[in-house]
Amino acid sequence: MAIATIAAVATKPSSIPLLIRKKPKWVFTPLAFCSSSSSASRRKLILYSKPGCCLCDGLKEKLQAAFLLSGPHSLHDVDLQVRDITSNPEWERAYQYEIPVLAKVLSDGTEETLPRISPRLGVELVHKKIAAALIQ
């Protein structure tokens, strides 16, 4: 009887939307459920990328891992928005030969491009570079 109940729960349609997405929107907010700060006080980074870019995917993975590290310069309050440059002609013109491009959003809403961070760097070094860039 318990097995039939588990099978019925596992096949409920409500669990399917979590697994199927037509076009992924990459917005990574590490530990957002634990944060007591409002979204207005969160620091923001933008990663300009495009589908099929292995350097972009590598940097995205390193950034996500770096955001999970603890320490004196924690990045738990950083929102990462990944923007597909192919969805906007202006972004594509600006970054087509430069991706991945990482920018921080300043308090006035403008963006400041950060120095290139190689996806070949270790997670700790990526963490250190991002933390230093966000302090400036």
Side-chain angles (χ1 to χ4, degrees), residues 48-117:
Y48 289 95
S49 178
K50 73 177 182 179
C53 172
C54 59
L55 291 174
C56 302
D57 293 340
L59 182 57
K60 189 185 326 174
E61 288 176 13
K62 291 291 173 84
L63 288 170
Q64 290 174 346
F67 291 162
L68 296 175
L69 293 178
S70 298
H73 301 289
S74 172
L75 301 175
H76 294 309
D77 66 330
V78 176
D79 286 332
L80 176 65
Q81 180 183 22
V82 180
R83 292 184 176 170
D84 179 0
I85 64 167
T86 63
S87 68
N88 182 313
E90 185 179 324
W91 298 341
E92 193 163 24
R93 271 192 305 279
Y95 304 121
Q96 66 181 335
Y97 302 115
E98 304 295 323
I99 59 170
V101 173
L102 193 61
K104 69 177 178 179
V105 179
L106 303 176
S107 58
D108 63 358
T110 60
E111 297 175 19
E112 178 183 317
T113 302
L114 301 180
R116 181 176 291 281
I117 296 177

Side-chain angles (χ1 to χ4, degrees), residues 1-12:
M1 175 102 173
I3 295 172
T5 305
I6 292 171
V9 171
T11 60
K12 276 188 174 181

Side-chain angles (χ1 to χ4, degrees), residues 2-76:
I3 295 172
T5 305
I6 292 171
V9 171
T11 60
K12 276 188 174 181
S14 62
S15 64
I16 293 174
L18 298 175
L19 302 174
I20 299 173
R21 298 176 80 178
K22 288 186 177 183
K23 185 174 181 183
K25 180 180 178 187
W26 298 96
V27 178
F28 182 73
T29 55
L31 302 178
F33 57 90
C34 298
S35 177
S36 61
S37 63
S38 68
S39 62
S41 66
R42 294 182 65 85
R43 299 178 290 178
K44 296 178 175 87
L45 289 176
I46 299 169
L47 177 62
Y48 289 95
S49 178
K50 73 177 182 179
C53 172
C54 59
L55 291 174
C56 302
D57 293 340
L59 182 57
K60 189 185 326 174
E61 288 176 13
K62 291 291 173 84
L63 288 170
Q64 290 174 346
F67 291 162
L68 296 175
L69 293 178
S70 298
H73 301 289
S74 172
L75 301 175
H76 294 309

